[in-house]
Amino acid sequence: MGRSCSVRPFVRSGVSTLVCAAVTAWVGTAQAANFEVTTLTQLRGAIEQSNDNNEADVITLTNGIIIADGQASGNTALPAITSEITIKGQGAAATTLERTATSAEFRLLKVESGGNLTLKDLTLKGGYLSHLQGRTYENTGGAVQNYGTLTVRNVTFVENAADAGGAISNIEGAELYVYDSTFERNQTTWGWADGDGAAILSEAAYAEIERSIFRDNKTGLEPSDKRQSDGGAIENSIGEMLIKDSVFVGNVSYCGGAIENAIGKLTVINSTFKDNFGVLHAGAIYGSEPRARYDTSNFGDGVIEIYNSTLSENEAGEEGGGGVFMDAGIAIIRNSVLAQNVAFDANGVAVAGRQDCGYIFNDEDGTQGRIIVQGTNLITDMGNCLAENDAFDGETATVIHGDGVAALQWNADHYTLGSASLAIAQGAECEATDQLGNNRAAACDLGAVENVALTTPNFVPDANRISVIGGFVMPTFEVNNDQNQDNQGDSQDEDAGDENAVDDQQQSGSSQVSANSQSSAELRASSGGGGAFNPLLLMLPALLGLRRRKA
């Protein structure tokens, strides 16, 4: 039934050689060192000495650093991280590490296996890699490529691009921890098949993302031969990922406007999805079809868990699933709201029964996706959602239908329920707090945020988007845009709930889009026009068995 979206793993081609420029000398010590740098040369030198020192060194950028054409060495602007290093700025609005739009292609940073990099309080902008070495991992991670451990706190990633993982690629046993950060207007390369994860590609790896915002990220699409790229913000492939207290708004992809989960385990808690768009299907979250070369022993055909989250006003194409679509695997939904999502057929007519949920039977391999709602959920269009009692504790599945929404309204970064909503106090086995950090009652409200009385809903389905769906048209890809205005991140004090994040500040990333940049609405209305499986990916069971949450 229709076209299926899928993921093919990239292949690492080897470690690229870095030829570093002359550096400013420091006197080496056997203890952890602190560096203050103001220039690119000093930053390179500090990283090299920190690698040699093999201690937990801290590098502080006293100002932003622009990397111009001819100043990078190889595919990465700075020396690869091989030891434990923290690089921090003066705040995302004040400190930017940036590749100029007219420069040759290069990413900003790379973490090798065994390296441990923490980024804090800065912006990474403009990193760009595309087709440099064929279709390999080396073309992934426009801002940062991670083979080791990468921790990101209060960082804004804006206008980065790569074949896959436009901002970050987290691959081959790596660990990624993202807190209080913003990903905005990152892209995967136009016309490149399987250019998945416009903000983050996590493949055969582990990732945690908390209190972060993903806005207006988009993957590439080539309409002429229907090559697809999935996961408008995030691609989780053959690995494990936790997303908590986060927001996805205005992201665009062929399948999975916000997230694609490919034969991995994805857990989403206390998070909000609004106005994301899947051209074929899966406006918000997509469980993709497996392929024979994948090792499915860890998660079968993939597992998605959605708890206390809100998916609303997302849109999908003719195969449906404005909220969630499963090609294969199982999605389990609890204490959540799926409401006012939309799926249009090729004629611009809403597809009854597939607005909020959708699945497909795959004739090629006989797999079938399942969407199971357990406990109590509010769902406007039940359609392909399957209500199933919880055999473990005998709980009965309950679905509150569309008339129970009663004023679901958008407020900057979350939805709230009106005082008349039937979703109030209907949850069980709830999270301790909601997306905003408010305490939840034992019988919590359904969705990401506890109740605040509001007025009537403000959403009207946009049938004009059918020209995008029917013609498989995606936005024009423009990376080298020197007229983009600088990201204006607004700082907001946030209690991170992490002993290591006392001085962290939330970066809301309220970026201003230039005349040459397009809003998500404009992107959707605009018109236009394998690598081999790596056996190293089979080590995933041992890798995942040792994970511990950091925050």
Side-chain angles (χ1 to χ4, degrees), residues 294-497:
Y294 286 134
D295 172 22
T296 61
S297 59
N298 295 295
F299 311 115
D301 292 336
V303 178
I304 299 174
E305 300 170 328
I306 302 172
Y307 302 135
N308 275 111
S309 293
T310 301
L311 291 74
S312 184
E313 302 185 54
N314 303 286
E315 300 185 22
E318 59 191 276
E319 291 193 347
V324 179
F325 188 97
M326 300 296 291
D327 257 344
I330 297 175
I332 299 172
I333 303 173
R334 174 185 292 273
N335 292 341
S336 294
V337 174
L338 277 73
Q340 302 173 335
N341 299 292
V342 176
F344 291 114
D345 66 17
N347 297 312
V349 178
V351 183
R354 309 196 80 172
Q355 302 296 298
D356 292 317
C357 300
Y359 71 90
I360 189 170
F361 180 82
N362 296 301
D363 295 329
E364 333 180 348
D365 53 20
T367 59
Q368 178 174 330
R370 299 177 67 201
I371 300 175
I372 299 174
V373 292
Q374 293 183 342
T376 302
N377 297 273
L378 190 155
I379 301 175
T380 302
D381 181 3
M382 191 63 181
N384 288 320
C385 298
L386 173 64
E388 185 172 286
N389 296 337
D390 190 334
F392 180 74
D393 62 8
E395 184 180 35
T396 301
T398 302
V399 176
I400 303 170
H401 292 288
D403 56 358
V405 174
L408 184 66
Q409 186 161 326
W410 181 247
N411 291 271
D413 61 357
H414 64 278
Y415 285 102
T416 50
L417 298 167
S419 58
S421 175
L422 300 181
I424 294 174
Q426 295 298 313
E429 300 181 22
C430 308
E431 294 297 311
T433 57
D434 69 2
Q435 176 187 312
L436 304 181
N438 302 314
N439 291 329
R440 288 190 185 270
C444 65
D445 297 341
L446 305 181
V449 175
E450 292 290 282
N451 169 59
V452 175
L454 288 173
T455 56
T456 57
N458 59 354
F459 174 59
V460 177
D462 184 3
N464 292 328
R465 291 181 179 175
I466 185 56
S467 61
V468 179
I469 299 167
F472 300 102
V473 176
M474 285 286 283
T476 303
F477 177 71
E478 295 181 359
V479 172
N480 292 331
N481 178 7
D482 55 6
Q483 298 183 36
N484 283 324
Q485 298 182 17
D486 291 338
N487 184 46
Q488 304 295 323
D490 296 328
S491 299
Q492 176 181 355
D493 290 338
E494 187 75 25
D495 179 6

Side-chain angles (χ1 to χ4, degrees), residues 18-43:
L18 295 174
V19 182
C20 298
V23 299
T24 301
W26 283 268
V27 178
T29 68
Q31 300 177 347
N34 294 310
F35 303 94
E36 286 192 0
V37 303
T38 60
T39 68
L40 177 60
T41 299
Q42 289 177 346
L43 178 56

Side-chain angles (χ1 to χ4, degrees), residues 2-238:
R3 186 175 298 102
S4 173
C5 302
S6 62
V7 175
R8 304 170 186 81
F10 283 75
V11 178
R12 192 179 186 190
S13 65
V15 179
S16 58
T17 301
L18 295 174
V19 182
C20 298
V23 299
T24 301
W26 283 268
V27 178
T29 68
Q31 300 177 347
N34 294 310
F35 303 94
E36 286 192 0
V37 303
T38 60
T39 68
L40 177 60
T41 299
Q42 289 177 346
L43 178 56
R44 282 196 176 114
I47 292 173
E48 289 185 327
Q49 175 143 338
S50 296
N51 284 335
D52 293 339
N53 190 27
N54 201 28
E55 299 289 340
D57 293 349
V58 177
I59 302 171
T60 301
L61 305 182
T62 60
N63 51 258
I65 294 177
I66 295 177
I67 307 171
D69 195 29
Q71 292 183 312
S73 300
N75 293 349
T76 305
L78 295 164
I81 306 298
T82 60
S83 64
E84 185 175 354
I85 299 176
T86 295
I87 300 176
K88 65 179 183 178
Q90 310 302 313
T95 311
T96 299
L97 181 62
E98 177 180 359
R99 166 193 164 274
T100 60
T102 56
S103 296
E105 299 178 12
F106 55 81
R107 75 170 60 83
L108 302 177
L109 289 158
K110 181 175 184 176
V111 185
E112 292 287 9
S113 178
N116 188 335
L117 174 64
T118 296
L119 298 173
K120 296 179 64 175
D121 304 323
L122 71 161
T123 290
L124 273 63
K125 181 178 180 181
Y128 180 38
L129 285 171
S130 174
H131 315 337
L132 294 180
Q133 300 182 34
R135 189 177 177 278
T136 75
Y137 277 139
E138 290 305 314
N139 300 334
T140 68
V144 185
Q145 183 182 68
N146 179 41
Y147 286 102
T149 300
L150 173 63
T151 302
V152 174
R153 299 184 185 276
N154 303 321
V155 177
T156 294
F157 294 84
V158 62
E159 296 171 8
N160 300 284
D163 281 355
I168 296 174
S169 61
N170 182 56
I171 42 188
E172 290 189 341
E175 298 183 22
L176 172 65
Y177 303 90
V178 177
Y179 307 112
D180 306 300
S181 294
T182 297
F183 295 78
E184 188 159 15
R185 302 195 306 279
N186 300 287
Q187 303 176 343
T188 56
T189 308
W190 175 265
W192 183 248
D194 302 307
D196 303 318
I200 296 174
L201 167 70
S202 186
E203 186 163 293
Y206 179 79
E208 291 182 13
I209 300 165
E210 299 191 19
R211 303 178 300 274
S212 294
I213 298 173
F214 295 80
R215 182 189 295 114
D216 294 331
N217 303 286
K218 61 188 174 85
T219 62
L221 175 71
E222 179 59 57
S224 61
D225 60 7
K226 307 299 187 292
R227 291 186 293 180
Q228 71 266 2
S229 298
D230 308 326
I234 293 175
E235 158 81 5
N236 177 49
S237 178
I238 336 174

